Amino acid sequence: MRLRPIRIPRRRWLVLGGVVLLAALVHRGWTELTSPWGDQEVALQPAAEECGASGDLRYCIYRAPQGANGDVLYHLHGRGLDEHIWNDDTYMTAMLQAAWRDQGVTPPTVVTLSYGSTWLLSPKGEREDSGLLDDMMDRLPEIERQTGTPRRRLLMGESMGGLNVLVAGLSRPDSFRRIAALCPGVYAISPFAPLADAREAIRRTGANPKLALGIWMLARRYVANEKEWRRVSPLALIEQAAPTYPALYLSNGLYDGYGNFEGTKMLAEEAAKRGVRTEWRPIYGGHCATDIASLADFLTAEGGSALAARMAPTGWAGDRLVRP
């Protein structure tokens, strides 16, 4: 018995096509209507920008309209950003500039550094991409011939950059006076830990599995094994710390999707035990939520006596290092 093909009248095809087209238009219209219509911008006069390159390292030098206080702040950006981020009026760096302006504070000269959208400052090891820590440190004198010899070198970075400033500052503590690490990629386990440990860490911290595993895979691009990882892990580097180490400012959101709150808190506690001048700022928020006011104060404070190396005794403030 021969089966006849089912034929749909042309009129029905036209109706069906119209329905699909109408649904697509409604979906697009709803998407446009419910998407953000603009950005909350920060009102500021941008800092003067002068950019260049040294080898693979790209940089921009920023000088605020109100002048500079003699310090040089090296800013290491987060993943997916670049060396031009400092003047972005929708980013937290603009809020920091506005805070200094509103406080009547003369800020440091800022130098943003970048090796591309993703990178890790690791010492030279087995991986081809390793060695950026040594390369960066070797290139700072060339940059400082343009900024002038700094009174103090400071470090600030967020997310990937937060991890990088900790690696640089804790590996070369004699080269820097202050380190502000915002939402840094600090983990209690290494990227070479057993998969069962990784799953437990993701569950315990509430991390987004895709984000956390992606960061661990990124680390494996720059470090080859557990021994090399300990040369860049802030929790390993802090084991050699002393009271003479650079002052630390550490902050993290409780609901950090990368799962970094736990490791950053551990780092703050260990640093305080070793007498490092430490300010721990836990934030009720997500990845890279930042307390701009305290960050602005930390980066322009003189000396180190204003920071306490002890934990507050009670309540939620027990997760914060406070001023005596």
Side-chain angles (χ1 to χ4, degrees), residues 100-113:
W100 284 329
R101 177 202 62 202
D102 294 344
Q103 294 169 4
V105 171
T106 303
T109 298
V110 175
V111 180
T112 56
L113 303 176

Side-chain angles (χ1 to χ4, degrees), residues 70-92:
D71 294 343
V72 172
L73 170 64
Y74 287 98
H75 174 231
L76 280 57
H77 62 77
R79 186 167 63 159
L81 303 178
D82 59 32
E83 68 278 14
H84 298 283
I85 193 62
W86 188 257
N87 272 342
D88 187 329
D89 61 5
T90 64
Y91 197 56
M92 64 93 177

